[in-house]
Amino acid sequence: RTLSAARDASEPRGFLASLIRGGTKPRAPPSGADTTVVVAAGVETEDDVLHMPNAKLPSFGSRLSYADTELLCQYLTVPYLRIPLLLDFFRDNRRHRALES
């Protein structure tokens, strides 16, 4: 046997082995809850949102104030905490109307 054949035979196979080695495919596609979906300009970080003029922020049919819109866009830049932050954001009764737009 060649060295590469021996190495291939010694490597574990199966589901658990793929977890340990790491798969080539992502578990799920990237989230649609991304700031670029809401804001047309290239926004990647919280600083990008903070330095954006109010005119470029979405108005959501004037249902949210500029401060709330800025906060919402900032929350969308946080990859692993988006959902809890957004749930907390919309917990306030004043912001429920924004979900209509």
Side-chain angles (χ1 to χ4, degrees):
R1 288 184 353 171
T2 65
L3 182 60
S4 64
R7 205 175 318 143
D8 290 339
S10 68
E11 284 188 29
R13 296 182 185 181
F15 176 72
L16 291 177
S18 69
L19 288 178
I20 294 168
R21 274 194 314 255
T24 57
K25 294 181 184 178
R27 284 183 29 195
S31 172
D34 190 9
T35 309
T36 56
V37 173
V38 177
V39 181
V43 174
E44 295 180 16
T45 65
E46 183 180 356
D47 289 335
D48 295 337
V49 175
L50 291 172
H51 296 293
M52 182 175 287
N54 287 344
K56 289 192 174 185
L57 289 172
S59 65
F60 298 105
S62 298
R63 291 184 171 103
L64 287 177
S65 66
Y66 284 119
D68 284 344
T69 301
E70 188 176 83
L71 188 62
L72 176 64
C73 291
Q74 288 173 4
Y75 286 170
L76 290 174
T77 63
V78 185
Y80 295 102
L81 295 174
R82 279 184 195 140
I83 294 174
L85 289 172
L86 290 174
L87 287 173
D88 187 56
F89 179 83
F90 286 112
R91 185 178 57 158
D92 186 357
N93 289 333
R94 295 177 298 130
R95 297 173 178 151
H96 287 175
R97 294 179 313 163
L99 295 172
E100 296 173 2
S101 64

